[in-house]
Amino acid sequence: MTLGDVERAAILAALFTYSAGGRLRMPTFLDEIFSPEQIARDDDSCANWGRDWTRDRAPAPSAVVFPKTAEEVQALVRRAAETATALVPSGGRTGLSGGAVAANGEVVVSFDKMNRIVDFDATDRIARCQPGVVTGALQSFAEDRGLMYPVDFASSGSSHIGGNIATNAGGIKVIRYGLTRDWVTGLQVVTGAGELLKCNQGLTKNATGYDLRHLFVGSEGTLGFIVEAEMRLAKAAQPHRVMVLGVPQFPDLLKVLAAFQQEITLSAFEFFSQIALDKVRAHRDLAEPLSTPTNFYALLEFDDSEEDAAMAAFARVMEEGWVTDGVLSQSDAQAASLWQLREGISESIAIYTPYKNDLAVKVSALPEFLTKVTDCVQAAYPDYEVCWYGHIGDGNLHLNILKPAALSIEEFYANCGTISPQIFALVEAAGGSISAEHGVGTLKADYLQFSRSPEQIAVMRGLKSLFDPHGIMNPGKLLV
Ligand code: MLT
Ligand code: ZN
């Protein structure tokens, strides 16, 4: 929404009121809603809960609160609306777009204490979850019942279901199991107007008009806060195999994908470049997967029962010359260690404070797009290392530009920032998205027009003002 001058002035006044000690003042109404152990305002807590994995802005919330019930969230939002107090939702804080950063005296609303799976129905196969349930905990809960929660990514051990829904998290199994959105059968949200909406309530069929649930999926906490989610669970997966293939030419990755998809059902088709492999191997002390290094690698996962068909596809891609070498896991331990080559990349390059980009185009458009983006970065900064990896089976590329040791972070980010518009123009020309799975947050908010038309942005602003009339829900994120 566009804030009116009066609302903007009220929010700024509330945010920048300093106490005698020079610290941002904590809104006093918090004590009326929460007990003392549910409120923190010490520097360590503010630094911890006031940020996600991005490091471009320092956290500076005025307080952190830990609601235990939906009623407390509702009371908080209502009082925040009356006092023009900005609220920032906080889950597992693993986001990479600044969506959970509180840098302007906001009150952080942590869902750490709303972390229970409150109910499970084996007939419906639906787990009713509080927003702070850790993704890995829901996965284990499902496994204990012979089922599966299939949305998976490297940060499953700390990310929260509420955060996953707010960003429509994707990850490594989307090619077979879809996005978080596909597993949400019901949502309870507290809107910015302080209303509690119960959306869909676990139904499979519901033809009663607009499905409000889906408006909140991917809304990054800008319309309302999720206080409960009904998550569908799936039949348990079969034991699986992991294959890593060496693919010298990037366009051949798509031919390899097609060849395997013709024979088997893939549950993952990931890729990484030689640079990415070098970094993760060095960081985790992992063995070279293949005897001959090459430019690109594909990592495939499929059901054990499809091994013969997969080997037939492997023979074909070798014969065609698209693949030069390959390895197939012979045990769960080997499968897990091959997965490390892909899942450990993000962590292994963190020391280079990379300039991260999370881009999507149609799978068929990937080769031309990757070449153009690589050329764009290298024309501007030939000395910068470009580290590519991602979920190629979904058309999702992670572009990471690594900081040379001699450069300051500020200079490096400023340099990379100058080519962002060129990269996003390439995304727009390819009909792609400037954020495939990390979200817009603060990092991409100035570039939304490269993926959304003026008409769409106007509709989004209209929705924002409808659900968040006071502009208090995660301001400065997604829409600016
Ligand atoms: C990944 O695919 O590894 C994650 O999205 C994290 C990242 O992009 O670095
Ligand atoms: Zn990813």
Side-chain angles (χ1 to χ4, degrees):
M1 75 179 265
T2 313
L3 291 176
D5 288 343
V6 175
E7 283 163 306
R8 190 185 296 274
I11 287 179
L12 289 177
L15 293 183
F16 296 105
T17 307
Y18 280 79
S19 65
R23 205 176 195 302
L24 289 163
R25 188 185 296 155
M26 179 171 66
T28 50
F29 66 82
L30 299 179
D31 300 301
E32 296 161 20
I33 302 168
F34 299 106
S35 55
E37 87 279 359
Q38 288 175 277
I39 308 173
R41 60 169 318 219
D42 57 286
D43 290 344
D44 285 351
S45 299
C46 286
N48 184 43
W49 277 279
R51 71 162 20 141
D52 56 17
W53 277 353
T54 51
R55 288 292 175 264
D56 66 316
R57 290 181 319 144
S62 58
V64 185
V65 293
F66 301 90
K68 291 180 179 169
T69 63
E71 290 72 27
E72 285 179 350
V73 176
Q74 197 170 15
L76 170 68
V77 171
R78 286 186 172 159
R79 293 290 283 128
E82 286 164 12
T83 55
T85 303
L87 303 174
V88 174
S90 170
R93 306 184 302 287
T94 57
L96 291 164
S97 294
V101 176
N104 295 304
E106 304 93 328
V107 171
V108 172
V109 186
S110 164
F111 290 97
D112 282 7
K113 290 189 194 293
M114 292 178 72
N115 61 356
R116 284 182 308 115
I117 297 175
V118 287
D119 188 25
F120 171 68
D121 188 296
T123 306
D124 296 325
R125 284 192 182 160
I126 291 175
R128 208 148 53 80
C129 300
Q130 292 187 314
V133 168
V134 171
T135 315
L138 181 59
Q139 289 169 336
S140 305
F141 180 90
E143 268 168 40
D144 291 346
R145 285 152 187 82
L147 298 170
M148 167 177 65
Y149 179 63
V151 181
D152 195 19
F153 24 73
S155 60
S156 292
S158 33
S159 68
H160 288 186
I161 289 298
N164 296 350
I165 296 170
T167 54
N168 189 22
I172 53 181
K173 306 275 174 92
V174 172
I175 192 171
R176 180 159 181 183
Y177 298 108
L179 299 150
T180 300
R181 177 188 302 287
D182 301 304
W183 299 91
V184 179
T185 64
L187 268 192
Q188 291 193 24
V189 292
V190 173
T191 70
E195 288 151 352
L196 179 72
L197 300 186
K198 296 184 177 179
C199 308
N200 198 59
Q201 297 178 271
L203 299 174
T204 302
K205 288 189 170 183
N206 183 356
T208 53
Y210 315 128
D211 193 335
L212 299 182
R213 155 187 54 156
H214 286 300
L215 268 182
F216 291 94
V217 180
S219 65
E220 301 188 20
T222 61
L223 305 179
F225 293 164
I226 294 154
V227 290
E228 193 174 286
E230 288 175 89
M231 305 303 294
R232 196 160 54 86
L233 303 181
K235 187 169 166 261
Q238 297 295 306
H240 50 250
R241 293 292 188 104
V242 174
M243 194 182 254
V244 170
L245 305 174
V247 185
Q249 304 299 328
F250 185 86
D252 289 342
L253 281 165
L254 302 195
K255 296 177 189 160
V256 173
L257 171 64
F260 276 88
Q261 278 183 319
Q262 208 172 330
E263 301 289 340
I264 60 173
T265 302
L266 290 165
S267 46
F269 191 91
E270 301 277 311
F271 98 108
F272 43 92
S273 63
Q274 178 64 46
I275 291 177
L277 178 66
D278 289 345
K279 304 297 180 202
V280 72
R281 283 192 53 226
H283 184 70
R284 295 208 176 173
D285 197 18
L286 301 171
E288 186 83 68
L290 306 178
S291 45
T292 334
T294 187
N295 295 332
F296 299 102
Y297 298 83
L299 183 150
L300 296 68
E301 189 190 86
F302 49 86
D303 290 353
D304 211 11
S305 56
E306 299 206 284
E307 185 186 345
D308 291 348
M311 288 315 288
F314 177 69
R316 170 156 178 239
V317 296
M318 287 289 288
E319 205 175 286
E320 296 278 6
W322 302 328
V323 167
T324 47
D325 198 358
V327 57
L328 176 66
S329 66
Q330 300 299 327
S331 65
D332 287 351
Q334 270 182 23
S337 94
L338 289 175
W339 260 118
Q340 281 204 57
L341 298 172
R342 167 63 187 88
E343 288 207 288
I345 297 172
S346 189
E347 182 190 300
S348 72
I349 58 174
I351 47 167
Y352 300 93
T353 53
Y355 190 78
K356 295 181 88 70
N357 253 306
D358 164 40
L359 311 167
V361 295
K362 279 190 195 145
V363 175
S364 57
L366 282 168
E368 190 182 339
F369 178 71
L370 181 130
T371 304
K372 285 184 174 166
V373 174
T374 305
D375 290 350
C376 168
V377 178
Q378 283 182 346
Y381 298 106
D383 300 337
Y384 291 2
E385 265 189 317
V386 177
C387 179
W388 286 106
Y389 54 94
H391 319 284
I392 196 172
D394 316 323
N396 176 187
L397 295 175
H398 293 311
L399 162 69
N400 285 255
I401 307 175
L402 309 187
K403 185 182 82 59
L407 271 191
S408 72
I409 295 182
E410 292 72 26
E411 193 182 348
F412 173 66
Y413 279 172
N415 289 350
C416 291
T418 62
I419 52 171
S420 285
Q422 292 169 47
I423 295 173
F424 296 145
L426 292 171
V427 172
E428 186 178 22
S433 171
I434 59 165
S435 178
E437 59 175 5
H438 295 170
V440 174
T442 52
L443 290 189
K444 302 266 174 82
D446 287 333
Y447 302 105
L448 195 58
Q449 69 278 11
F450 286 98
S451 282
R452 298 297 190 114
S453 67
E455 293 79 10
Q456 284 193 59
I457 292 174
V459 172
M460 288 166 79
R461 287 193 194 289
L463 290 169
K464 169 78 173 163
S465 59
L466 183 68
F467 286 104
D468 181 23
H470 312 285
I472 56 166
M473 304 303 266
N474 214 7
K477 319 291 165 55
L478 180 54
L479 291 169
V480 287

